Amino acid sequence: MFCYQCEQTAKGTGCDKLGVCGKTPEVSDLQDLLVYALTGLGQAATTAAAEGKDVPLTTGRFFAKALFSTLTNVNFDAADFGPLIEKTVAERDALAATLTAKLPEGPATFVPAADLDGLIKQGAQHGLKDIPETDPDIRSLKHTLIFGLKGIAAYADHAAILGQEDPAVYAFLYKGLADTFTTDKNLGDWVGLVLKCGEVNLRTMELLDAANTGAYGNPVPTVVPLGARAGKAILVSGHDLKDLKDLLEQTAGKGINIYTHGEMLPAHGYPELKKYPHFYGHYGTAWQNQHKEFAAFPGAILMTTNCIQKPAASYLGNIFTTGLVGWPGATHVKNGDFGPVIEKALAMPGFPEDTDKGTVMTGFGHNAVMGVAGAVIDAVKAGKIRHFFLVAGCDGAKPGRNYYTEFVEKAPADTIVLTLACGKFRFFDKKLGDIGGIPRLLDMGQCNDAYSAIQVAVALAKAFDCGVNELPLSMILSWYEQKAVAILLTLLHLGIKNMRLGPTLPAFLTPNVLNFLVENYDIKPISTPDEDLKAILG
Ligand code: FSO
Ligand code: SF4
C-alpha cells in the first residue's frame, strides 16, 4: 500500500504499512485497483463522448459513488470493493462495445481477478506510484487531480441523491481520471487541469446547494441544545441529509429523540428537518472524538458518510453504517431502511433524564447571511466590524489543531468569524457575543456548504465594489481529506489569495508545486495565532 491523500498521513510522507486512519493494506490496494478500473471506465466514457455517443447518467452516478467510496474514512470493508470493481469493468465493457475506436491497453483492458485475494494482488500493482509519469512535479499534479476528483465525486453523489446532476460534472470525472494516464501534457497543462478541477467542483457545490436547499429549504438561524432529553435516542453522523430526513420520518411518534454528531449539526437549521419535534439536539464534537463520545451514547448510532473511525468493541453492536460507509463487523443497513437502527435504539436505555449543557447556533447559510447583508455592510462602513475571518475546514487528531481554537479566542471583538465543516468543533461553543445584533460566530454549515461562504464573499465584494481579495476577509483553513482538496482548488480557481492553510501542508505537493502556489496565490502555512492575527490586522 501507499496512500498520502489525507492530512494525517504517516510521518507526513505516506502510509505504507497501515493507514493512520485504520485502513488496512488490503483495503488500500483494493481502493487503488478501483481507481485504476475507474480510469478505464473514464477512458471508455471519454472516447464515447468524443464519438458523439451517449454515456448514461446512471454511469456517472455510479462513477461518483465508486470514487467517493475511496475517500478517507468512508469505507474500510474489503468485501465492498470486489463488487464495485466488477461493476466498473462491466460498465466499461458495455460502453467499449459501442465504440469505433480501440481503447488503449491498460486500465481500459484490465481483467479483474476472480477472487478477493487476486484483486488485492492486482491492486498492489496499480497504486499511485504506478501511474505513468517520470516528472515529479507532474506526478504531484496528477495525484492532486485524483484527490480533487474524489472530493468532486463526494459532492456530486450528495447532489445526485437529491436529484441534482450535471452531465458535465460526470464528464470531467471521466476525463480527469483518464488524463492521469496520458503523458502528452506539460506542467502548464497540468496546472490548468488542476485549476479546472476547482472550477468543476464549484459547479458541483452549486448543484449540492440547490439540492439541499431545494429539498429542505434555506437554513435559518437556529438554537441547538447540547444537552439531552430523557428518553430513547439515535445519534446521526456524516453529511447525508436525506438519510437524516428518512430517519426522522421513520422515528416519528416512536418516543425516540434524534441527535446530530459532527458534520450533521447544521441539519438543525433546515426548515424541513427542524420541523420534527423529536429532532432534538447535538451531541459531541468532531469525528476524531468518536471513541470517547460514541462509547458514552446510550442509543443507536448511524453513520451516513465519512468520517467513521474504527468502532470500539464497547459500541460495535450499536453502530450502523449506511450508503457508502463500511466497517467490517458493523451492521450495514440500506439507505432509508432504518428498522434495525430503530429496534436497537428501543432496546437501549436512552438518556435517563433531561440534562442542560447550553446551546450553540447554526443555520447561517448564504440566504440567512445575505438577509442581514445591509446591516453587515453598514457596520463595516461605520468601523464597527473591522475584519471577517473564515475559519473553516476539517478537524483531526493532531495537537497543532489547537491553533484554530486559539485563533478564534484571540480574534478581536470587532471581528466576525464565519465557519463551516467539522473544524468548527474546536470553538463552536465559544460565546463570542455580537456586534450590533450580528453574532460574531456564524456557522455556515458543513464542508458541503462551502459554496455558501463563496457566495457571501462574492456578494460582499460586489457591495463594496472591489474584488474578493480586497475585502477585509481572511481565510484560515484547516484541511484533512479530499473534499477539502477540491474546495482548495475551487478557491485557487477563483483567484483567492493569501489563504492560510494548516495544520500541515499536503504531502503530495512537491516543493516546486508549493512554490508555484506561494508565488501566484500567496498561500501560506499557519504560524501562530498571535503572529497571523498581527500580520492580517496590521
Ligand atoms: Fe469533516 Fe470528515 Fe466534512 Fe471531511 S467529518 S473531515 S472535509 O470528512 O467532510 O468536515
Ligand atoms: Fe494514511 Fe490518510 Fe491514506 Fe488513511 S487516508 S491511509 S491516514 S494517507
Side-chain angles (χ1 to χ4, degrees):
M1 79 174 280
F2 176 76
C3 182
Y4 67 165
Q5 64 182 4
C6 85
E7 194 274 335
Q8 69 180 358
T9 194
K11 299 187 235 67
T13 51
C15 298
D16 53 8
K17 292 185 179 67
L18 175 73
V20 175
C21 59
K23 185 158 83 175
T24 60
E26 292 77 20
V27 169
S28 185
D29 291 344
L30 287 166
Q31 291 186 348
D32 284 347
L33 191 64
L34 177 55
V35 173
Y36 182 73
L38 287 167
T39 305
L41 174 53
Q43 290 173 332
T46 308
T47 310
E51 291 185 6
K53 290 171 177 123
D54 274 346
V55 180
L57 269 180
T58 49
T59 303
R61 232 169 276 160
F62 166 75
F63 196 97
K65 275 196 192 302
L67 197 52
F68 186 5
S69 71
T70 71
L71 198 111
T72 299
N73 288 349
V74 174
N75 197 323
F76 294 84
D77 197 344
D80 287 344
F81 289 97
L84 284 170
I85 291 164
E86 272 165 34
K87 179 150 167 61
T88 304
V89 170
E91 290 269 349
R92 179 200 72 191
D93 289 347
L95 271 179
T98 69
L99 299 177
T100 313
K102 194 170 174 290
L103 293 169
E105 291 289 311
T109 55
F110 139 81
V111 180
D115 59 14
L116 202 59
D117 277 351
L119 291 172
I120 293 166
K121 285 198 187 90
Q122 284 180 322
Q125 308 297 313
H126 295 297
L128 283 169
K129 289 179 174 173
D130 301 303
I131 291 170
E133 191 52 63
T134 49
D135 181 312
D137 297 323
I138 293 183
R139 186 184 309 125
S140 166
L141 291 169
K142 283 187 171 181
H143 292 174
T144 306
L145 179 68
I146 293 173
F147 304 147
L149 293 172
K150 290 187 182 197
I152 295 181
Y155 291 135
D157 179 54
H158 279 291
I161 285 171
L162 294 172
Q164 290 283 341
E165 290 177 282
D166 181 348
V169 170
Y170 297 146
F172 187 76
L173 292 179
Y174 302 141
K175 182 176 165 341
L177 276 193
D179 278 346
T180 62
F181 269 67
T182 58
T183 47
D184 58 348
K185 294 177 192 59
N186 62 28
L187 197 62
D189 297 334
W190 273 100
V191 169
L193 255 174
V194 161
L195 292 176
K196 178 79 186 166
C197 182
E199 183 184 345
V200 175
N201 184 53
L202 181 61
R203 168 68 185 138
T204 316
M205 288 197 301
E206 180 187 30
L207 287 172
L208 179 54
D209 182 75
N212 286 340
T213 57
Y216 307 119
N218 270 303
V220 293
T222 301
V223 176
V224 184
L226 297 176
R229 193 193 263 163
K232 305 287 183 186
I234 296 176
L235 185 60
V236 189
S237 195
H239 303 76
D240 196 304
L241 300 183
K242 171 108 181 11
D243 286 332
L244 173 61
K245 166 81 177 175
D246 290 345
L247 183 71
L248 287 167
E249 278 289 323
Q250 291 171 25
T251 47
K254 289 204 157 65
I256 301 172
N257 293 309
I258 307 297
Y259 297 79
T260 52
H261 184 267
E263 278 283 70
M264 239 359 146
L265 165 62
H268 289 279
Y270 288 89
E272 286 302 311
L273 301 173
K274 64 183 281 176
K275 70 180 186 189
Y276 292 90
H278 63 301
F279 187 25
Y280 180 66
H282 183 81
Y283 172 91
T285 53
W287 67 269
Q288 76 281 358
N289 300 322
Q290 282 171 35
H291 280 175
K292 196 167 144 243
E293 294 171 356
F294 285 7
F297 191 76
I301 301 159
L302 178 65
M303 295 301 302
T304 66
T305 67
N306 48 328
C307 283
I308 187 170
Q309 263 192 314
K310 179 181 181 174
S314 64
Y315 63 85
L316 185 60
N318 316 337
I319 190 169
F320 295 81
T321 58
T322 192
L324 301 174
V325 190
W327 193 285
T331 308
H332 188 85
V333 291
K334 273 178 68 179
N335 291 98
D337 196 359
F338 299 132
V341 186
I342 295 167
E343 251 170 61
K344 175 58 78 176
L346 290 173
M348 289 184 68
F351 285 101
E353 57 189 11
D354 292 353
T355 48
D356 182 0
K357 291 188 175 168
T359 60
V360 290
M361 275 198 93
T362 188
F364 296 96
H366 56 84
N367 190 67
V369 175
M370 249 65 124
V372 293
V376 171
I377 291 161
D378 289 348
V380 174
K381 287 188 174 152
K384 288 183 186 141
I385 297 176
R386 176 161 45 142
H387 207 85
F388 297 89
F389 296 108
L390 176 67
V391 187
C394 332
D395 208 349
K398 286 204 184 144
R401 289 182 184 265
N402 282 342
Y403 165 95
Y404 299 95
T405 319
E406 223 185 286
F407 187 97
V408 168
E409 282 170 350
K410 289 184 167 169
D414 55 358
T415 60
I416 298 253
V417 176
L418 304 163
T419 190
L420 53 89
C422 61
K424 72 165 83 74
F425 290 106
R426 298 267 163 180
F427 49 79
F428 80 128
D429 53 354
K430 301 251 173 273
K431 301 296 172 214
L432 298 190
D434 65 289
I435 300 177
I438 303 161
R440 284 195 54 229
L441 180 60
L442 299 172
D443 177 12
M444 306 192 82
Q446 302 178 336
C447 53
N448 292 18
D449 302 309
Y451 183 73
S452 256
I454 292 169
Q455 289 298 93
V456 166
V458 169
L460 277 179
K462 207 166 158 203
F464 288 105
D465 196 18
C466 66
V468 172
N469 288 322
E470 280 77 58
L471 283 173
L473 163 73
S474 303
M475 304 206 183
I476 317 293
L477 308 177
S478 52
W479 83 284
Y480 173 63
E481 41 86 333
Q482 299 81 57
K483 282 193 276 180
V485 175
I487 294 172
L488 206 61
L489 297 180
T490 297
L491 296 172
L492 296 176
H493 151 73
L494 291 170
I496 309 287
K497 295 194 168 176
N498 279 312
M499 293 182 271
R500 283 177 166 75
L501 182 62
T504 59
L505 297 179
F508 50 84
L509 300 180
T510 56
N512 281 340
V513 173
L514 260 181
N515 273 347
F516 171 84
L517 293 179
V518 172
E519 277 167 21
N520 290 279
Y521 297 94
D522 294 320
I523 198 163
K524 321 175 166 48
I526 55 169
S527 62
T528 66
D530 286 318
E531 266 178 48
D532 286 351
L533 277 165
K534 202 169 138 213
I536 292 167
L537 297 173

